[in-house]
Amino acid sequence: ATLALPELPVASRRARLSCDLWWDIEPSDAMRLEASTDSGATWQPVPFTTRPAHGRPTDHPDAVATGYNGRVWQRVDADLSAWRGGRAVRLRWRYTTDARYVGRGVYVGGLRVTDGADTSFDERRPRDAARVEAKGWTRSPD
C-alpha cells in the first residue's frame, strides 16, 4: 500500500516533512518513507525521526518503522534538504506485509511539507488533501 504526495519543489536546507504516525505491525512487515525525483520510476529511502508525546525520539536512519510502537501516536520529522535545488521530489509512505498477519495496521495523519518559512503542502488544506494518492489506504473521517 502506498500513500503518496504530489511532486513538490525543495529549495532550502530547512525543507522538512512532518506528520503523525501510528503503527502496530509484525516485525517482518515494514512502513517506509521514500522519495523519488523521476516521477516515481525509482525510489530512495528518506531517514526520519519519530517522537512520542512523552518519551525520547527514535531515529530511523534506514527509513523504516516496523513492529510494535506501543500503540501511541508519534510525530515524524524528516529532513528533505538532500533534494534541494534539483527536480521536484515526490514523497510516499509504503507499507509492505506478508500474507500471514498484519497486526493492527498503520495510520498516517497531518502530512505537511515546509521549506523554510513556506508551506508547500498541508493535508489540512482541502486542495492539498485532494492531491494525496492513496493506494491500499482508507481515509478516516476523523
Side-chain angles (χ1 to χ4, degrees):
T2 58
L3 187 67
L5 301 182
E7 290 184 337
L8 301 167
V10 177
S12 79
R13 293 176 196 210
R14 297 181 297 155
R16 320 285 303 170
L17 166 77
S18 61
C19 67
D20 297 313
L21 180 65
W22 185 103
W23 70 96
D24 178 5
I25 56 179
E26 290 186 289
S28 59
D29 299 343
M31 181 66 166
R32 292 177 169 82
L33 181 57
E34 300 173 320
S36 175
T37 56
D38 56 12
S39 299
T42 60
W43 295 90
Q44 56 189 340
V46 179
F48 60 92
T49 300
T50 54
R51 179 185 304 267
H54 305 287
R56 295 181 179 264
T58 301
D59 291 328
H60 301 266
D62 55 356
V64 176
T66 190
Y68 177 70
N69 85 331
R71 292 189 182 159
V72 296
W73 282 96
Q74 301 206 26
R75 192 73 186 149
V76 170
D77 179 62
D79 180 359
L80 303 178
S81 64
W83 291 275
R84 76 180 182 278
R87 298 172 61 182
V89 66
R90 185 153 199 210
L91 302 166
R92 75 176 181 184
W93 284 105
R94 182 169 58 99
Y95 175 45
T96 56
T97 183
D98 58 30
R100 294 189 59 187
Y101 305 103
V102 294
R104 304 219 13 117
V106 176
Y107 301 87
V108 177
L111 290 159
R112 187 173 182 184
V113 176
T114 56
D115 196 349
D118 297 326
T119 300
S120 56
F121 183 90
D122 190 334
E123 182 185 28
R124 294 176 297 178
R125 298 186 297 214
R127 186 173 173 162
D128 285 348
R131 297 171 62 204
V132 174
E133 184 180 295
K135 293 181 180 177
W137 290 81
T138 302
R139 181 174 292 276
S140 172
D142 57 359

